[in-house]
Amino acid sequence: MTVTIVGSQLGDEGKGGVVDLYGDAVDVVARYQGGDNAGHTVVHDGEKYKLSLVPSGAVRGKVGVLGNGCVVNPETLFDEIDTLRDRDLEPDVRVAERAHVILPYHRALDGIEEDEKEDLAAGTTGRGIGPTYEDKAGRRGVRVGDLLDPDVLRERLEYVVPQKRALAEDVFDKRTGEEFDVEHLYETYREYGERLANEGMVVDCGTFLQERIDAGENVMLEGAQGTSIDIDHGIYPYVTSSNPTAGGASVGTGLGPTVVGQGEVIGIVKAYLSRVGTGPLPTELGGVEGQTPDYDPEEGSDDEEEQLATYIRDEGGEYGTVTGRPRRVGWLDMPMLRHAARANGFTGLAINHIDVLAGLEEVNVGHAYEFDGEEILTMPATTEKWGRCEATFRSFDGWPAVDWESVAEDGYDAIPENARTYLEYVAAELEAPIYAVGVGPGREETVVVENPYSNN
């Protein structure tokens, strides 16, 4: 069977930890979209692993697959594989032959275009993700399979590179170097193709996964980023360039929608809200500037909202895995989550980081929006309308900081009562049961309520 892991908010919800949590029952973990802009932090056997491309399950000895919906930077891929090998792991990673390749000119143009967009900039990581998807849609991309055929690789590069050089030089008036040089790119990426071939990494993704399923193996489909930055269903233009929603799991792997739909779809929810990047955020608390790390939730401050934002950011480690940028933080946004529940069809929820909010006297939730004098319960279709929404809040009594490792051992009933009230409110609003509650960064610091693989 399949279990699909989907971010329900703006990314950074803790998806990698949930993949790790259910990893014992999994044989294959497949990423279905995104590239090396997707930071996953996994804690295994007391070791912390930060991955941006290799699927999280590779840390636990599972087969990792980068699906055809991904965009792949071979340099990042091999750097991560080699780093894991240096730490005495042997990751088994396969790459879809149909996946598109990030080339150096994509990264260069990503930075140039973000600078030029100014107020419309999406706050990208500068990793070339968007320009690579643009070339995919424009039918001028280079795919992983092309790296294995030198003649095809040269033909593709000779067609596209002069266009990219002209764009940088003639449109943006930038000087160009080897990242826009056909010969340099050909030699570099031909060598990547040779390594991919020599290590037997390239697969026909859909066929590979279906054969595993037919053999009775369990497959986990892992999304990057989150629903509200989905290019179709998110806060456009402040979005990623692919589909993190559950529909992307089918398109991005080659498995049929009925195969994905017969499995579980688990929505990963952070107990508050965070994001890197620009755009509206109705439940936002304060900003990144003027942080004061000594905030005491019992005493407050002259600028309580700003101090509270800093407290949550520091307690939750809200700094980008890939970029190190401080994330914006806010209260949980229920209209955002209702939108995610509809778009993905969640069969269960994993709610993370309730420990971060421990010690606060009260915890607020953006229950609804007020839009042009009316109450609405889900996100509007356009970002401009969303920016005009004012969150209306519900307040919950806070819960104490406790020995969270003991709570994880003792089970759901050991979670402080006020925190359970908060969790059950979320589950009721989204009409999906709670499968897991994250109470710390490690796999052992998770309350497991249901294992989706034992439900079938």
Side-chain angles (χ1 to χ4, degrees), residues 122-381:
T124 77
T125 57
R127 301 266 173 133
I129 310 299
T132 306
Y133 279 114
E134 285 183 47
D135 281 356
K136 175 180 179 177
R139 299 177 296 278
R140 55 181 173 268
V142 175
R143 302 200 294 180
V144 167
D146 300 335
L147 304 186
L148 278 60
D149 187 325
D151 291 338
V152 173
L153 175 61
R154 181 176 287 280
E155 181 182 357
R156 297 278 192 270
L157 292 173
E158 287 179 348
Y159 171 74
V160 71
V161 172
Q163 297 179 35
K164 301 301 178 182
R165 189 187 310 116
L167 179 61
E169 294 177 348
D170 300 341
V171 177
F172 294 119
D173 196 27
K174 303 294 183 182
R175 295 181 63 182
T176 59
E178 64 182 13
E179 69 271 29
F180 293 90
D181 179 75
V182 171
E183 204 59 41
H184 170 76
L185 295 172
Y186 172 75
E187 291 298 333
T188 302
Y189 283 78
R190 181 181 57 80
E191 290 181 7
Y192 286 138
E194 289 176 356
R195 180 170 176 182
L196 288 166
N198 290 339
E199 298 193 18
M201 294 173 65
V202 179
V203 296
D204 178 346
C205 185
T207 300
F208 178 83
L209 294 177
Q210 189 63 58
E211 287 176 349
R212 293 298 188 110
I213 293 169
D214 291 344
E217 296 187 7
N218 288 327
V219 174
M220 182 169 281
L221 307 176
E222 178 184 10
Q225 292 92 34
T227 298
S228 285
I229 53 173
D230 182 290
I231 193 167
D232 286 298
H233 305 291
I235 50 173
Y236 191 91
Y238 308 107
V239 292
T240 195
S241 302
S242 57
N243 293 110
T245 42
S250 175
V251 176
T253 61
L255 291 173
T258 50
V259 175
V260 176
Q262 289 168 5
E264 299 260 12
V265 179
I266 301 178
I268 315 305
V269 179
K270 185 176 284 187
Y272 52 94
L273 195 62
S274 73
R275 82 156 301 179
V276 170
T278 51
L281 204 60
T283 64
E284 186 167 15
L285 283 163
V288 171
E289 297 298 326
Q291 297 181 26
T292 304
D294 299 326
Y295 172 69
D296 184 339
E298 298 295 329
E299 296 180 6
S301 71
D302 292 337
D303 188 359
E304 188 165 347
E305 184 173 295
E306 180 66 38
Q307 302 293 347
L308 179 56
T310 297
Y311 175 78
I312 293 173
R313 186 179 297 114
D314 289 345
E315 288 293 306
E318 292 297 341
Y319 299 88
T321 303
V322 172
T323 64
R325 290 183 292 191
R327 297 177 183 136
R328 299 160 66 190
V329 297
W331 296 119
L332 198 66
D333 186 318
M334 288 307 303
M336 178 183 291
L337 290 178
R338 294 188 193 100
H339 170 68
R342 179 199 53 76
N344 293 289
F346 295 144
T347 60
L349 304 171
I351 303 178
N352 289 324
H353 298 304
I354 67 165
D355 55 304
V356 172
L357 302 178
L360 300 178
E361 287 188 6
E362 66 176 16
V363 175
N364 291 320
V365 174
H367 176 76
Y369 297 148
E370 183 178 307
F371 177 73
D372 289 350
E374 295 184 10
E375 181 184 71
I376 60 174
L377 296 178
T378 190
M379 295 177 71

Side-chain angles (χ1 to χ4, degrees), residues 75-105:
E75 180 180 1
T76 302
L77 175 62
F78 289 127
D79 281 349
E80 291 191 2
I81 289 173
D82 292 342
T83 298
L84 291 174
R85 287 174 177 169
D86 288 343
R87 297 176 70 175
D88 297 322
L89 297 176
E90 279 299 328
D92 183 353
V93 180
R94 314 298 175 91
V95 186
E97 195 169 6
R98 292 183 173 95
H100 280 249
V101 178
I102 300 172
L103 287 116
Y105 54 76

Side-chain angles (χ1 to χ4, degrees), residues 26-96:
V26 174
D27 300 291
V28 182
V29 179
R31 277 270 309 275
Y32 59 82
Q33 46 75 228
D36 58 338
N37 59 336
H40 295 292
T41 301
V42 178
V43 180
H44 177 54
D45 288 342
E47 294 283 328
K48 183 179 288 187
Y49 300 90
K50 292 189 175 183
L51 305 172
S52 59
L53 190 57
V54 170
S56 304
V59 171
R60 296 180 53 76
K62 309 301 179 179
V63 177
V65 180
L66 295 174
N68 56 272
C70 295
V71 289
V72 180
N73 185 329
E75 180 180 1
T76 302
L77 175 62
F78 289 127
D79 281 349
E80 291 191 2
I81 289 173
D82 292 342
T83 298
L84 291 174
R85 287 174 177 169
D86 288 343
R87 297 176 70 175
D88 297 322
L89 297 176
E90 279 299 328
D92 183 353
V93 180
R94 314 298 175 91
V95 186

